[in-house]
Amino acid sequence: MGIRKVNYERCTGCATCVEECPMDVIRLDRSINKDEMPPCQAACPAGMSMRDYIYLVVQRRFEEAAALVRNTLVLPGVTGRVCFHPCEEDCARRKVDEAVNIRSLERFVTDYALESAPGPVPKLHNEKIAVVGSGPCGLAAASELARKGYPVTVFEALPVLGGMLRAGIPEYRLPRDVLEREIDSVIELGVKTLTSTPVCDLESLFATGYKAVLLAIGAAKSRNLAIPGEDATGVAYGLDFLRDFNLGKGSRLEGKVAVIGGGNVAVDAARLALRTGASQVTIIYRRSRAEMPAIKEEVKEALAEGVRTKFLAAPVQITRENGGLCVTCTRMKLGKKGADGRRQPEPVPDSEFDITADRVIIAAGEEAEVPSKWGLKLKRGAITTDPTTLATSRRGVFAGGDAVTGPGYVIQAIASGKKAAAGINCYLRGEQPGFEEARRVNKPPLKGVDKKARNTAAHLGIAERRNQAEVEAGFSPEMALKEADRCMACGSKAFIKYLRDCMTCFLCEIDCPEEAIYVSPERERRKPLPW
Amino acid sequence: MFNRWTRQVNCDVLVIGGGLGGTFAAIKAEEAGAGKVVLVSKGKLGKDSVSTFAAGVMSVIMPGDDFEAEFRNYALGEWSGAGIYDPAWLKIAMEENYDRVRDMESYGVQWARKPDGQIERRAARGVVLKGTFMKPFMDAMANKVRSTSVEVAGHIMLTGLLTENGQTSGRVVGAVGFDTRTGDFCVFKARAVVMAAGGCSFKPRFAGCSMSTGDGYTLPYRAGAKMGSFELGHFHQMSAAAFDTAGMNLFVALGGHFINARGERFMQDYFPNLVEFADLTSVSQASAMEMRAGRTPVYLDMTHFPPASVNRIRTALRSPTKALERMGIMVGDKIVSPIEYAPCFRGTYSMGGGIVTDIECATSLPGLYAVGDSRCRPEQEPAALAGAAVTGARAGIFAARFAKESGDVEIDRGQLEELEGFTFAPMERQDGIEPDHIITENLETIVPYEVVLIARGERLEKALKEVRRIQREEVSILYASDLHYLRMAHEAANILLTTEMYLNSYLTRKESRRACFREDYPYTDNINWLRNTRLKLEKGEMQIWTEELPYDSLPLKPERTKRLHPIFEVARRKGIPWG
């Protein structure tokens, strides 16, 4: 009597049968594999459950999708814009056509459903917690802890909140009203914030009653190149340049600008320089484009905007001449792969050449600035912590984000903040941290999925990018629905939902790429014969 | 549950249905420069139509064939028009048949070939000349559509046509429906609409057609279109009794034959010349007469097939092959046992009732064109697939012209609201009757062979009364618990309305002609009944009337005689009682 069985060992949930059944008998069961993580979620440092919230988008339940996103992740309006989206790198759909545009979907739901932020949480605990730094790590931890019912105070040295989100990331990538909105959503949880309040010694924090401290101080000190002429007039460090402009203190640039480095700070600085008057911007990087640690889309946009590049060039000296600057570089070639998997640059002997510029911005990496009187164990400038709880060498002091890992991406800092919050909770409650590793979906759909082009939100025309206007627009609801429809919901299985409506046409069995379906030709005699 | 969202698409030509006719209409409308063409299908394009399961055979009339003889066959042949035909239309259908075959070939459809490269044609049921497909062709048609600028909207169940100012019988300006996956209310605004949603299957015991539920009739009917000739269609197909299978066309073409319970090849008695090649309904009627005589069940015997024929079935008919294998009837390259067959009430395919059109496929509603099984086809033109191809292409071309020449259209807000309410009503109800119940009741009313297979006025009237009762008492309170059942609720309503049109037309024709087979009027009456039945919704009532054929202008004139329907003739000879 019709379609009988779907072999779940074989079924990959490609939905060929769901799409093709003329009688609409089969559906995709998305809840069957709750304990298996789809690749996107497994790749997300914060463990965002994209499959679930995208399905809510498919169902046109945008508010619930936003609430689900916010439940996992603080500041989704930020990560929806600036995340380096490792989820998309691992998206199983890449093997079919292109990754689902997860970042734009995240941005869409959080922008669409502004009211979805959770409100204040009643205080359940008395232990006051101090969070030092209001960057993504600090805000994530503060939000998590506040939602657990702790009184949390965030200390920020700058006069404004947001840390690197505000001082580092330029407005054209992250509009300030969005940042304000996202920070407000943390404050609304009942988190106290103190700006222009640098924390100099930890003892006074404990002395004023704080039971735990999280150091989320970021990596705010620019590394120098250690080359002659680095201190010449007209040479600045990337972070300083960004901070000045982002906090409204920068003055317009003129002439040619050389930016040294290949990370996000370098690319942000280069694009910002173009927007603030530079006539020509050149990125100097000692490796090639493939090795640049900056987010790929940002590099692409920078090049589209006219940023020039000088790859395989390592500065060896900066000199001032004729009122301008001259960066002397050595040509490099790529050698063997290093420990980080990237090919290591090696100098080519006697290959020096000069690049002239009016301004030079050095963005060769950043590190944390940890006062020695805090008495913490450090390793190469970063704070050493327990990998599970993020506890430092000092009792009651935890650390997270860039201060521990060195410069990373926003989502990593947020994930680290969440982890630290869990560690602090365990510490204060005297619990053992739980550790659970979810299984990954082992057979995502591959065969039988129809190709559908990825939807990309509109970008500002190159000519219009002469100010801080946001470059990438968001999805319209229609676009979001189209893009959400591309999610294959990895781990789902075909499910015979309307068995009695099967007309035994065998289409599902014939077209199943995994040969997972069995149809019986015999039909129940419910429907009459003429005699 | 999904939040309801409204989606509106504006286009120049809207094609409803994605079978052979619908795909042809979309392709040709686009080629004709219609502008934006949108094709809406109920499931996935290429997989949701009766054409997807077509029995692998299509009529092909080629240059060099004896057109005059063919024309005579189609117009006057007993199995065919039996005198009821439209000469202008028949000429077009025959002339354009081969062009469409060539089109399909260029889209990637593969035909059986003779060693010299010519299309291989075989005699098949009813019609003399046939071309044989090597494999299912809807994938090629769907891919062709996808390669054009035609926008395909799948998984949408349409529930109503939009008309100018919301007026019944006004110009058609679009359609509405819902997305069966998301529940979106879908609104299509169009300058011209092509109805290619197929016929009505009544969801019978027959695989491969249950998704076709008279949507192509009920939407235009409710909008006030003139319909007709429902009683003349082939409503019966022979199918295996224990399971569902399509493929009769090919089985018979390859030499399969019917035997009755006594092992006699009874079709030799009824149709000494055509034998099994007699049309679907004739085989069903003959089987019903054997039933009267107590010589059922009947069987289809293919046990004598050589391996080459069995392999032909394998390549052309994927689904029936699976069924035959699983039932233990096809083993390797042999058919090991005869299959018990029974007439199967399977709906309005290949010929019969539908929306009345002119030779440009235009209907009585300006801006609405009709294709294939949705169209009224009293004559047995090169029908079914060939008819769908020819009408599809014509409807596409003339709808494109209409869209270009006519002004922009506007949707009547009041009508839109009303249709939205109508669309979702079964889901809004707290309680009510399930669609499945209504579909089964309807089948129980019309399937017993003494209702329509061997009809009589009283029995038809009783069935019609019951169908009207179901409509009045049950369709009005259809209940759907989710979107799947919402689709089924609309399908059930459409099936019931189509049944009413069918039974009403059957009662009106007081003679026996082809599928219309009445014990109380056993004569084919060319004196009084060279007429077509017509029906239309007027002031909320189904109006039915007949229109005389323009006898004087027919190039081939059927004899003005009255003689016994051929099946009754044989039954009388064989001593099977009727009357």
Side-chain angles (χ1 to χ4, degrees), chain A residues 170-191:
Chain A
E171 225 179 314
Y172 63 86
R173 283 178 66 199
L174 179 57
R176 291 309 180 240
D177 56 333
V178 174
L179 181 60
E180 295 292 347
R181 180 188 89 199
E182 296 292 321
I183 293 173
D184 285 349
S185 77
V186 178
I187 294 172
E188 279 161 22
L189 292 169
V191 172

Side-chain angles (χ1 to χ4, degrees), chain A residues 16-27 55 58-64 112 448 450 477-478 481 497-498 500-501 503-507 509-511 517-531, chain B residues 1-3 5 7 44 47-48 52-53 155 180-182 184 203-211 241-244 287-288 291 296 318-319 322-323 326-327 342-343 434 436 440 443-444 447-449 482 484-485 487-488:
Chain A
T16 300
C17 53
V18 180
E19 290 291 307
E20 290 190 354
C21 175
M23 300 304 290
D24 193 33
V25 164
I26 310 163
R27 287 285 193 270
Y55 184 46
V58 169
Q59 295 171 83
R60 285 82 174 125
R61 292 156 68 180
F62 301 149
E63 279 84 4
E64 286 160 84
Y112 185 90
D450 285 341
E478 287 72 23
L481 292 176
K497 188 163 182 198
Y498 305 101
R500 64 180 179 179
D501 295 330
M503 64 172 172
T504 68
C505 73
F506 286 90
L507 207 54
E509 182 179 323
I510 291 166
D511 286 352
I517 299 178
Y518 179 91
V519 179
S520 163
E522 277 184 281
R523 273 182 83 173
E524 58 179 306
R525 294 210 174 216
R526 176 171 58 88
K527 290 172 184 175
L529 278 174
W531 47 71
Chain B
M1 201 29 89
F2 283 70
N3 284 339
W5 196 261
R7 242 160 54 201
K44 180 178 176 174
K47 303 290 183 183
D48 68 336
T52 308
F53 304 96
H155 298 293
T180 58
R181 296 299 159 82
T182 64
D184 289 349
K203 293 192 187 276
R205 293 181 49 80
F206 189 69
C209 60
S210 291
M211 59 285 178
F243 59 99
D244 295 352
S287 302
M291 173 71 199
T296 47
R318 299 188 300 175
S319 310
K322 283 265 180 202
R326 214 145 270 175
M327 295 303 290
E434 278 187 66
D436 205 54
T440 309
L443 284 169
E444 281 168 355
V447 161
Y449 81 100
D482 66 12
H484 172 83
Y485 290 113
R487 166 181 153 176
M488 265 185 84

